[in-house]
Amino acid sequence: MPEFCDVALPVPLDTLFTYRVPADAAPVVGGRVLVPFRQQRMTGIVVELHGRKPSVATKNILAVLDSAPVLDEQLLRLGRWIADYYLAPLGEVVRTMLPLGAEFKRSIGYRITEEGQLALHLAGMSGSSARSRRTPEEQAAEFRVLDYLAARAVETGFEEKRAIGKDTVGDGATGKGTASAVPLATGNHPASATEVAPLVREETLRSATRVSRAILSGMLRKKWIVREDVSAPQRAARTVKIAVLKSADGKLNENQRALVDTLAASGGRVPILTLQALEVPRTTLGTLVRRGLVEILEEPAEFTVSRAKPRPSPFEFDFNSPQQAALARLRQGVAARKFCGMLLHGVTGSGKTAVYLAGMRAVLEAGRSAILLVPEIGLTPAVAADLHQIFGEEVAILHSALSDRERAEQWHRIKRGEARMVVGTRSAVFAPVADLALIIVDEEHDASYKQEETPRYHARDIAVMRAKMANAVVVLGSATPSLESYFNASKNKYALIGLPDRVEQRPLPEVEIVDMRLEFQETGREQVVSRKLAAEIKDRLERKEQVMVLLNRRGYSPVVLCRSCGKKLECANCAIALTHHKREHRMICHYCGYTAPVPRACVHCGSEYVYFLGTGSEKLEELLHGMFPQARIARLDRDTVRGHEDFERTLNALNEGELDLVVGTQMIAKGHDIHGVTLVGVVGADVALGLPDFRAAERTFQLLTQVAGRAGRGESPGKVVLQTYFQDHYAVQYAARHDFAGFYEKELRFRSWMHYPPYSALANVLVRSNKLDEALEWSGLLGHWFDKSRHADVRVLGPAAAPIMKLKRDYRYHFVLKSPSREKLNTTLRAMLAYASQQKVPRTQVIVDVDALWLM
Ligand SMILES: [Zn+2]
Ligand SMILES: [Zn+2]
């Protein structure tokens, strides 16, 4: 066994850490190990085993947690590629790839030291230390902590320490026993002297003593307490006991007969818990087992995502000819076992999902694996029920409502090969399937595929890279493909497959544009709902048809303004106006969640002339109630939808005809089939056009096209009334004509002039600090460095204040880097990070966002 191993740890440092491998340990590349790191223990992934002695002293690994890799060679290679492409620490990348956090939840504990005992003792003698610069409150808080920890030490003595020690080093995790000899506190630790002090978990300590982290930090500095990691490996997966009927022969008494009949009626397999609900003595089952009539098996707990009943016929597999052609191309690609990228450009309602599912079914029949990625809001319980109906037990569904533990269970099912069809949001792209044949990215333009925290990866681009590594087929599907994907298709990097028609020859809806500037001139007042839209809604309601109205802004009023001093009411943490939420009777920041009371007077000057301006979805709903008192109206936005079930309930009500009108934010625009909607109203979907972001036009075009696509999916043709203040803008005009190609040409010209993607690789570098002068100093340092060092073919814009200059208490400055060469861009970024680290700018305060979607 090589003497050393390099470990990727989930810390914000661009480096691997070398540890010595003890003689009796056998770590594997791609497997997890427990290692000491600073004052803690941490779980990391072994990325290399070698015999190169490092120049600095190394510590031993504490325990080997896996005897086989959790990340196979291909996923580890993918992880390295992500770290390199997005300039993210490898340890943070692999943590994202493995949803196994629940198995090794990090937990911090504190124990009192001898110094702490002494301080407590002296305090008891003299009251308090006269030389202290602490406030009486701080001193009181510190002594509450010491008191609590000391009392626990007396109560529990050695027993608890032994128990925690066992728990911490994870016996049973490996069977190797390397860790069992490791003491909890190492020699250089003051804790080693205080044998009796137990470790108290941070949550317990803080809730018992009500102290802040700052107090604990101060006490750590004085060495009164020490802090340790209490990582407790947990069992990987929940299991259930299943009774299996082997034979029904032989004489049975009444109770035994009842059990056997129940089993037989349920196909011969029933969870024991279900049987226990029968009015039969518990011993009966034992008797049947002894007689060999019933067998008990332990199985992974079955994952049920949905209580919704499957729809009678979820998908039409009766294809029109473009669908058939698309499916044939897909199957051909899969059979070839070579990388192949396809862009499936199908208009809204053209039946893309049916093609995906038929393709996946073919992969399953060939005994191989497939992954289907869907946007955040795409996975409703009804969709899950459909998937279960089509793929049975072979499907694993990974959605955002899963707990860490459920996510880990699904991961293990996939890893064991029990589920070869994986459906999920962003991180499902890392599912550990074997023999991957197909990855599908549904609604590939959707922004939820981009992770907005480290590592800032885009799941669509990872899907393409993973398919390349696996010689698999990747299908990107959308009615409004991203500029990048369509550009790649036009350069023959992907095959372009079109689904130009709606299923059953349904027409695309007619779109009528209402110019809101004209509406203002003609009516003399600022209207929310134009006369045209009001008339069309009235007409649909009279015909018992359904209506959707989009307003992509939640809350009641987005701005509160003082007419005396002209100031807005802003968030305390962000440079963002607070939104008035009427029902909750609060002012809320949509970026950080900060809330404030609704002001009666201006907080700046005390004037009573405060005005609530603008309209959000909550106010629109109220307005429509006033205009159409008979109509049954619901609202879909992040205030009314807390989970998938809320969303599902409203959609069901709409499908069942229990609603006449639904108001909502962009949530209503996303891929749902509602057959009764014949009118879609758009109220201010073009807000985004006013934002300083080069993707504003693309986003507006996509949103307008998608929401228009909700109209007329049933028997009756649909209509869209699009209210806008930007009626001449090409994004609005092309969306109204359902003209993707026209929009694409025009937008591409703009991108080309401005050297924006897809004509360049782009990165946003954000420098942030909660101290304004620090943010200025650091961004100045980096700006100076960019100026004086040479970067061939890389344009650097900035430093400039970010459009949202203050967010969640941080002041923010940014640079935008563009280059025709991705390699040169990344070389510059890497050099910049090295310089920042040399200048002691913390790595967490310089955010590099490669292929940034937002420059805000
Ligand atoms: Zn004022
Ligand atoms: Zn805020």
Side-chain angles (χ1 to χ4, degrees):
M1 175 55 66
E3 204 180 339
F4 299 100
C5 65
D6 287 350
V7 178
L9 291 174
V11 292
L13 294 168
D14 296 295
T15 176
L16 297 172
F17 299 88
T18 304
Y19 289 88
R20 188 182 292 275
V21 180
D24 57 346
V28 291
V29 170
R32 289 166 299 177
V33 287
L34 189 68
V35 295
F37 182 77
R38 297 192 177 152
Q39 305 300 324
Q40 304 169 19
R41 287 143 192 277
M42 227 180 240
T43 306
I45 294 278
V46 177
V47 295
E48 198 191 341
L49 292 162
H50 60 83
R52 302 187 301 273
K53 191 177 165 52
S55 53
V56 291
T58 51
K59 292 179 187 164
N60 278 0
I61 57 172
L62 300 175
V64 174
L65 305 176
D66 298 299
S67 52
V70 286
L71 279 182
D72 65 19
E73 194 219 306
Q74 210 172 74
L75 283 173
L76 202 54
R77 218 171 109 213
L78 187 67
R80 284 182 182 276
W81 179 83
I82 293 168
D84 189 58
Y85 185 97
Y86 293 101
L87 291 101
L90 183 58
E92 298 198 309
V93 173
V94 296
R95 175 174 54 187
T96 303
M97 296 174 79
L98 283 172
L100 301 178
E103 290 178 26
F104 292 93
K105 220 179 181 83
R106 273 189 51 211
S107 171
I108 299 297
Y110 292 91
R111 72 172 89 238
I112 187 167
T113 63
E114 254 180 42
E115 287 93 329
Q117 297 275 17
L118 194 64
L120 189 63
H121 181 68
L122 291 176
M125 306 273 286
S126 64
S128 72
S129 160
R131 286 185 301 166
S132 171
R133 265 178 276 134
R134 290 163 298 148
T135 65
E137 290 77 24
E138 282 167 352
Q139 287 184 36
E142 289 181 350
F143 284 106
R144 278 205 305 280
V145 172
L146 290 177
D147 236 353
Y148 186 82
L149 291 176
R152 295 272 301 202
V154 173
E155 268 168 38
T156 54
F158 279 97
E159 287 313 305
E160 179 169 334
K161 180 179 182 225
R162 234 177 264 153
I164 290 178
K166 209 170 146 192
D167 188 293
T168 308
V169 292
D171 72 342
T174 62
K176 290 272 173 238
T178 43
S180 52
V182 179
L184 252 185
T186 45
N188 57 3
H189 238 270
S192 57
T194 60
E195 291 289 306
V196 293
L199 209 47
V200 175
R201 285 180 195 271
E202 177 165 288
E203 312 84 81
T204 316
L205 181 64
R206 289 191 55 200
S207 75
T209 60
R210 304 176 318 278
V211 299
S212 65
R213 288 222 167 81
I215 295 283
L216 294 176
S217 303
M219 297 177 71
L220 282 169
R221 279 196 295 276
K222 284 184 284 205
K223 297 193 165 43
W224 285 0
I225 54 173
V226 288
R227 175 188 148 106
E228 284 172 30
D229 197 348
V230 202
S231 299
Q234 299 167 4
R235 282 183 63 190
R238 207 165 39 193
T239 56
V240 285
K241 291 200 167 112
I242 309 264
V244 180
L245 184 61
K246 299 310 252 183
S247 158
D249 297 341
K251 264 195 191 163
L252 300 172
N253 67 25
E254 200 179 319
N255 288 331
Q256 292 164 347
R257 171 60 58 195
L259 273 185
V260 167
D261 285 351
T262 307
L263 272 164
S266 323
R269 297 165 67 88
V270 171
I272 288 190
L273 273 177
T274 313
L275 293 178
Q276 283 169 353
L278 298 173
E279 302 231 334
V280 168
R282 298 220 165 177
T283 49
T284 310
L285 185 62
T287 312
L288 289 172
V289 171
R290 273 198 303 283
R291 288 178 55 187
L293 300 178
V294 172
E295 193 182 17
I296 308 286
L297 297 178
E298 200 158 325
E299 293 193 345
E302 196 175 313
F303 168 70
T304 46
V305 67
S306 173
R307 280 182 297 276
K309 279 199 208 101
R311 285 175 278 188
S313 165
F315 294 102
E316 274 302 319
F317 286 124
D318 183 13
F319 286 171
N320 62 27
S321 67
Q323 282 176 306
Q324 276 168 13
L327 180 61
R329 290 284 290 277
L330 200 160
R331 296 185 69 150
Q332 235 170 36
V334 167
R337 289 185 180 258
K338 273 198 297 213
F339 168 73
C340 169
M342 298 180 188
L343 178 61
L344 186 62
H345 179 205
V347 298
T348 53
S350 61
K352 290 185 290 292
T353 310
V355 175
Y356 302 154
L357 295 174
M360 289 174 77
R361 206 160 59 172
V363 167
L364 184 64
E365 280 159 10
R368 304 177 66 197
S369 304
I371 300 173
L372 169 62
L373 298 181
V374 295
E376 293 291 358
I377 202 73
L379 257 185
T380 60
V383 172
D386 289 346
L387 290 166
H388 276 294
Q389 200 188 349
I390 298 168
F391 300 118
E393 292 303 303
E394 291 273 9
V395 68
I397 299 174
L398 306 168
H399 58 86
S400 56
L402 294 183
S403 67
D404 288 352
R405 174 164 283 244
E406 286 168 324
R407 199 172 290 278
E409 278 170 26
Q410 291 303 302
W411 187 91
H412 284 288
R413 279 186 65 220
I414 299 164
K415 180 82 176 160
R416 286 194 298 264
E418 293 166 12
R420 288 178 296 142
M421 300 288 108
V422 177
V423 182
T425 49
R426 189 169 63 222
S427 63
V429 74
F430 302 121
V433 293
D435 196 9
L436 178 64
L438 173 65
I439 309 183
I440 297 163
V441 186
D442 186 23
E443 309 291 349
E444 65 91 27
H445 65 279
D446 196 281
S448 69
Y449 288 124
K450 178 77 160 54
Q451 173 149 301
E452 296 295 349
E453 58 186 64
T454 309
R456 297 174 170 257
Y457 70 91
H458 198 302
R460 173 195 62 216
D461 300 336
I462 306 299
V464 173
M465 184 44 68
R466 187 167 181 196
K468 272 186 188 157
M469 290 179 175
N471 286 321
V473 172
V474 63
V475 177
L476 312 179
S478 178
T480 52
S482 63
L483 265 267
E484 284 88 344
S485 294
Y486 204 79
F487 185 74
N488 282 335
S490 73
K491 298 282 175 218
N492 293 319
K493 283 191 189 170
Y494 305 143
L496 182 62
I497 300 173
L499 296 178
D501 308 314
R502 283 190 154 188
V503 293
E504 292 165 17
Q505 282 111 47
R506 286 175 197 142
L508 283 166
E510 174 207 341
V511 181
E512 185 173 347
I513 297 179
V514 176
D515 184 343
M516 294 304 281
R517 291 165 305 185
L518 215 60
E519 186 79 5
F520 178 72
Q521 283 166 19
E522 287 172 11
T523 61
R525 26 187 314 233
E526 197 89 30
Q527 299 287 352
V528 178
V529 176
S530 63
R531 292 163 298 170
K532 178 73 197 169
L533 180 55
E536 293 279 354
I537 293 174
K538 182 164 175 281
D539 174 65
R540 291 313 181 293
L541 294 176
E542 278 165 8
R543 282 172 15 202
K544 305 276 176 230
E545 293 174 0
Q546 292 171 317
V547 180
M548 272 189 178
V549 183
L550 172 89
L551 173 52
N552 201 17
R553 187 163 53 197
R554 66 194 176 93
Y556 196 82
S557 301
V559 176
V560 176
L561 184 75
C562 170
R563 287 269 156 101
S564 294
C565 71
K567 286 184 181 159
K568 290 179 196 164
L569 181 58
E570 282 197 349
C571 172
N573 307 322
C574 312
I576 291 286
L578 291 174
T579 299
H580 177 216
H581 285 247
K582 191 178 180 186
R583 197 170 58 180
E584 291 180 55
H585 198 59
R586 300 294 286 173
M587 304 298 298
I588 301 177
C589 172
H590 288 179
Y591 287 79
C592 75
Y594 171 86
T595 72
V598 179
R600 293 229 179 95
C602 172
V603 293
H604 305 286
C605 71
S607 155
E608 286 167 29
Y609 297 99
V610 284
Y611 284 79
F612 293 75
L613 302 176
T615 304
S617 50
E618 188 185 3
K619 186 166 165 186
L620 178 61
E621 183 191 9
E622 192 181 278
L623 272 171
L624 289 166
H625 267 303
M627 292 167 75
F628 307 104
Q630 308 301 323
R632 296 161 300 172
I633 300 180
R635 170 158 58 97
L636 279 176
D637 57 28
R638 276 204 284 140
D639 299 312
T640 61
V641 175
R642 299 289 180 195
H644 286 283
E645 301 213 341
D646 294 334
F647 189 68
E648 185 82 357
R649 200 174 311 118
T650 305
L651 284 189
N652 277 345
L654 202 57
N655 261 328
E656 299 293 320
E658 290 158 14
L659 288 171
D660 303 310
L661 197 159
V662 172
V663 176
T665 55
Q666 57 177 340
M667 221 177 243
I668 64 171
K670 297 195 175 179
H672 304 286
D673 239 344
I674 308 292
H675 282 227
V677 174
T678 56
L679 175 69
V680 168
V682 178
V683 175
D686 50 11
V687 184
L689 288 175
L691 297 178
D693 192 317
F694 75 93
R695 293 186 201 270
E698 183 180 12
R699 251 180 230 127
T700 302
F701 176 82
Q702 287 169 347
L703 179 59
L704 293 178
T705 305
Q706 295 283 347
V707 75
R710 299 313 109 204
R713 293 171 84 100
E715 310 293 293
S716 332
K719 172 155 189 182
V720 179
V721 175
L722 201 170
Q723 300 185 174
T724 179
Y725 286 94
F726 299 88
Q727 91 136 356
D728 302 321
H729 195 288
Y730 61 95
V732 173
Q733 288 292 335
Y734 285 117
R737 279 182 252 143
H738 307 288
D739 184 358
F740 176 82
F743 171 76
Y744 171 78
E745 289 303 323
K746 180 102 180 172
E747 179 67 9
L748 213 53
R749 238 174 292 154
F750 160 72
R751 301 283 181 96
S752 164
W753 287 328
M754 301 296 290
H755 302 281
Y756 276 125
Y759 290 98
S760 71
L762 175 144
N764 190 30
V765 174
L766 189 79
V767 180
R768 64 177 180 188
S769 170
N770 56 11
K771 299 189 191 80
L772 178 59
D773 47 353
E774 226 167 43
L776 279 168
E777 187 199 324
W778 292 338
S779 55
L781 264 174
L782 295 185
H784 191 63
W785 179 83
F786 277 126
D787 282 345
K788 72 180 199 302
S789 40
R790 260 167 214 271
H791 311 285
D793 293 335
V794 179
R795 290 160 176 257
V796 180
L797 308 172
I804 299 174
M805 203 261 189
K806 190 182 172 202
L807 188 64
K808 298 178 185 172
R809 297 202 174 163
D810 280 333
Y811 295 92
R812 310 157 83 237
Y813 287 84
H814 76 149
F815 300 87
V816 175
L817 278 68
K818 295 187 279 193
S819 173
S821 153
R822 183 164 297 278
E823 207 185 313
K824 287 176 180 166
L825 176 75
N826 279 19
T827 305
T828 298
L829 289 169
R830 213 161 275 127
M832 184 272 301
L833 282 176
Y835 177 75
S837 146
Q838 185 201 324
Q839 295 296 313
K840 305 270 180 272
V841 183
R843 176 67 160 96
T844 47
Q845 308 309 102
V846 182
I847 295 164
V848 176
D849 192 356
V850 175
D851 300 343
L853 284 192
W854 302 92
L855 301 181
M856 303 297 280

